[in-house]
Amino acid sequence: MLPEVEVWLRRRTTTSSDWPLPSLLAAKGTTTVSVVLPARNEAATVGEIVTAIRRDLMEAVPLVDELVVIDSRSTDDTASRAASAGAAVHAQDEILPALKPLDGKGEALWKSLAVTSGDLLVFVDADLRSFTTTFVTGLLGPLLTDPGVAYVKGCYDRPLHGQRAGGGRVTELVARPLLNLHWPRLAGFVQPLAGEYAGRRTALERVPFVTGYGVELGLLVDLLELAGLDALAQVDLGRRVHSHQSTEALGGMSAQILHTAWARLERQSKIVSLDPPSPRLSQFRRTPGGHAPTTRDVSVPERPPMLTVDGYAGNSGRTLR
């Protein structure tokens, strides 16, 4: 690990217990906070998460000003359960309707910038189980108390099959080797693909968003280039419990992360590409007749920095819900 990263790791890594609620309220001042949950078919968990945030951080104390769920084409009761629990729900494809709709989590996150009004945005995955609001307060701590911090990633233990660790297979097999190889200043992030993170609107609106599963890696790399390592931080949130994907699904995610990294290597002139990478991923399934190939598109479209989109006005003139 680079000496610079070792210093950063000590300086910019904290735990959620370092950020008690009274100190955050004292530091909040006039800063406004939006919490965003991107959700697709998460009816089993989204209501509980929304309820906890409203109860603990909006009704009991005024830390969070706005709670938004971006419904990404759910076919279950995700939208109605989120609304019943007290969130403002927006259908992903109805935001910025003049634009051609794209797929993926990153699309929901990017579009949330257009329908929220907070100075700070906290992103929380909607599939979390045993959720506690320390996820939100922990991520807000560095942002509310240090104006030099622009972006905060969560880190945690990820149980798998009853073991304390073992989750985060794509992180260990794909993302971490990529970052150490090409962006070693990001090697200190424990969970670079964590779905829980927070940032200043003034930073998030200035970087592109990959629309698919490469969004987390893309944001890290782009925000490092935009703001520098010392503007990034991480907070240990303890333990994250969620549903796990199949190995086949993880292969697709890995391919999108590789495409995301490739695009940034080209953009930063770290590689010279003689041929464009193939957007197709072939995988195999056992059938009665042998191994049958399935092929899908794993390309990762990007949305431009929101600040460049016609009609986007940042958070000026917006009314908090």
Side-chain angles (χ1 to χ4, degrees):
M1 187 177 287
L2 296 173
E4 174 190 3
V5 178
E6 292 179 350
V7 172
W8 174 87
L9 197 58
R10 294 190 297 269
R11 170 174 161 77
R12 287 302 194 199
T13 302
T14 57
T15 69
S16 56
S17 61
D18 292 327
W19 308 109
L21 193 51
S23 68
L24 297 186
L25 286 170
K28 184 178 189 297
T30 59
T31 303
T32 53
V33 175
S34 299
V35 176
V36 175
L37 278 68
R40 183 172 187 174
N41 294 333
E42 302 296 353
T45 51
V46 68
E48 182 178 334
I49 296 172
V50 169
T51 295
I53 294 171
R54 284 204 64 87
R55 180 190 63 230
D56 297 349
L57 303 180
M58 299 180 79
E59 296 169 358
V61 295
L63 183 68
V64 172
D65 301 282
E66 184 177 44
L67 178 54
V68 170
V69 169
I70 307 296
D71 182 41
S72 185
R73 306 172 189 161
S74 295
T75 57
D76 64 5
D77 295 332
T78 292
S80 60
R81 293 195 181 189
S84 296
V89 179
H90 296 268
Q92 174 180 303
D93 293 342
E94 294 177 4
I95 303 170
L96 301 175
L99 300 178
K100 178 184 177 181
L102 296 176
D103 296 324
K105 175 186 175 182
E107 171 83 342
L109 298 177
W110 182 76
K111 284 188 169 180
S112 75
L113 294 173
V115 293
T116 54
S117 31
D119 303 311
L120 307 180
L121 288 94
V122 182
F123 299 114
V124 177
D125 279 348
D127 66 344
L128 299 184
R129 300 171 183 172
S130 304
F131 171 80
T132 70
T133 52
T134 56
F135 272 44
V136 176
T137 55
L139 291 170
L140 284 172
L143 291 165
L144 286 172
T145 59
D146 189 339
V149 174
Y151 185 67
V152 182
K153 289 285 289 188
C155 62
Y156 27 59
D157 295 328
R158 298 181 68 180
L160 179 67
H161 305 318
Q163 300 298 314
R164 179 176 179 177
R169 291 163 286 173
V170 175
T171 291
E172 299 304 329
L173 298 175
V174 181
R176 197 180 309 285
L178 273 173
L179 292 175
N180 278 263
L181 183 63
H182 298 296
W183 297 281
R185 288 195 296 160
L186 295 174
F189 280 93
V190 178
Q191 295 286 355
L193 302 184
E196 285 65 50
Y197 40 93
R200 298 189 188 279
R201 179 179 295 273
T202 51
L204 294 170
E205 66 188 5
R206 285 172 167 77
V207 292
F209 276 61
V210 170
T211 59
Y213 281 105
V215 61
E216 281 83 18
L217 185 134
L219 286 173
L220 261 187
V221 172
D222 293 340
L223 286 166
L224 173 68
E225 186 175 34
L226 174 75
L229 181 60
D230 198 52
L232 312 180
Q234 67 181 342
V235 177
D236 187 346
L237 302 177
R239 184 169 179 264
R240 185 188 197 271
V241 181
H242 66 117
S243 57
H244 290 283
Q245 300 279 355
S246 67
T247 301
E248 182 178 1
L250 295 181
M253 296 178 193
S254 299
Q256 291 197 320
I257 289 167
L258 289 169
H259 276 272
T260 300
W262 184 283
R264 277 144 186 80
L265 290 169
E266 282 193 308
R267 196 175 299 161
Q268 296 178 2
S269 300
K270 290 177 179 285
I271 61 170
V272 176
S273 177
L274 300 180
D275 295 294
S278 170
R280 312 297 289 173
L281 173 67
S282 294
Q283 296 173 299
F284 292 85
R285 295 178 182 175
R286 168 69 78 174
T287 69
H291 288 93
T294 60
T295 301
R296 55 177 159 151
D297 187 342
V298 291
S299 58
V300 280
E302 288 189 11
R303 290 297 194 183
M306 183 60 81
L307 203 60
T308 68
V309 175
D310 290 342
Y312 175 69
N315 58 356
S316 62
R318 294 180 183 272
T319 300
L320 289 168
R321 296 172 180 81

